[in-house]
Amino acid sequence: MTERITTPFGFASTADEVIAGVDLTGKRAIVTGGAAGIGVETARSLAAAGAEVVLGVRRVAAGEQAAADIAASIGAERVTVRALDLADQTSVRQFVAGWDQPLHILVNNAGIMALPELERTAEGWEMQFATNFMGHFALTVGLHDALAAAGGARVVSVSSSGNLFSPVIFDDLHFAFRPYDPLLAYGQSKSAEALLAVEATRRWANEGIHANALNPGAIATGLQKHTGGLKSPREMHKTPQQGAATSVLLAASPLLDGVGGRYFEDCAEAPIVTERPADYTGVAAYAVDPDNAERLWDVATDLISQGVTKGR
């Protein structure tokens, strides 16, 4: 059993504190969902450290406003915007096809939460699983060559304490049999995002690509629009800058050089738990299980192949 990783940073640390002294000049980063919430703060901190950052966003106008705000705050124009709808595999393929440079940092940040009714994509996939996981899976795999060309790249999967609500239910991913439950669907998608980091590292570490997952904490953003806001105790709440800290740590800190396949919260590796804790900390064992990760990768690959065939 490997020792859990800790850092000098913690619950209250901000993204700017985590990245202080790090020089990302010459590095390229993509942040999905970078127009708001912790995404825009992640992009801001990476750009302030010198990285060229692309916001992959569904609403381009909002992304352009965020890029302008970042430019004004850091005194430099290092952020650009490209259209990316993670629920639309055609949009993901177009984004990938338009990328032709080495990629040093990929932050899979965008997400949706607790849709009140069952919604499906054109492929018939449940919408939260499709957006939070399948879109990011296709994006990550599609950008593999760009990540490998960087000579040392990092992939960051923004998961959630929601992983504690459900494992990936391989026999019914899209609620064809189970009654739809908004939080179970969300939990499944967030477990899947954690598993993506495990398997990407196993497959690609020998190419210099390392992936880790994280829980950013409780941050009041548009993500909770279907849940009536944050339900956690106030003392657990973070600002967007604090919420982005663990993402930025995994994306850029030299403290994490060569580290992959792990799950972090509050700027430290989270404990693996076998039942849901009262304070919703830690990561479920099933969300970092190597066998689950390999199986999910194969299932997702088949789903994408079937989706492309179906769309012809």
Side-chain angles (χ1 to χ4, degrees), residues 154 210 249-250 252-260:
R154 299 190 187 186
H210 292 86
L249 179 85
L250 299 183
S253 175
L255 297 172
L256 276 300
D257 283 346
V259 172

Side-chain angles (χ1 to χ4, degrees), residues 223-292:
L223 186 67
Q224 300 95 22
K225 66 181 181 181
H226 297 302
T227 62
L230 291 178
K231 303 299 185 184
S232 50
R234 184 165 295 278
E235 62 270 19
M236 294 177 65
H237 294 185
K238 296 186 179 186
T239 67
Q241 256 285 318
Q242 291 171 329
T246 307
S247 292
V248 170
L249 179 85
L250 299 183
S253 175
L255 297 172
L256 276 300
D257 283 346
V259 172
R262 305 198 188 201
Y263 181 100
F264 290 73
E265 60 190 7
D266 297 338
C267 297
E269 187 175 1
I272 297 173
V273 298
T274 54
E275 61 181 42
R276 189 192 306 161
D279 62 359
Y280 292 91
T281 59
V283 59
Y286 53 69
V288 289
D289 180 85
D291 292 335
N292 287 347

Side-chain angles (χ1 to χ4, degrees), residues 92-178:
V92 176
R93 288 193 294 272
Q94 289 172 342
F95 185 97
V96 168
W99 190 270
D100 60 358
Q101 305 174 86
L103 176 62
H104 304 83
I105 298 167
L106 173 61
V107 183
N108 291 325
N109 167 82
I112 56 175
M113 178 182 182
L115 299 183
E117 303 294 336
L118 175 60
E119 298 181 32
R120 300 187 185 279
T121 65
E123 296 87 358
W125 304 339
E126 188 276 317
M127 187 62 73
Q128 293 186 77
F129 187 78
T131 302
N132 297 346
F133 171 67
M134 288 298 298
H136 282 132
F137 174 80
L139 181 68
T140 304
V141 172
L143 291 170
H144 164 265
D145 290 352
L147 291 163
R154 299 190 187 186
V155 177
V156 179
S157 281
V158 180
S159 181
S160 161
S161 60
N163 82 84
L164 299 166
F165 284 105
S166 178
V168 174
I169 306 298
F170 287 100
D171 291 327
D172 191 20
L173 291 172
H174 307 297
F175 291 84
F177 296 91
R178 294 178 288 160

Side-chain angles (χ1 to χ4, degrees), residues 72-86:
S73 68
I74 69 172
E77 294 186 2
R78 298 197 190 99
V79 181
T80 56
V81 180
R82 298 191 189 185
L84 176 63
D85 183 347
L86 290 161

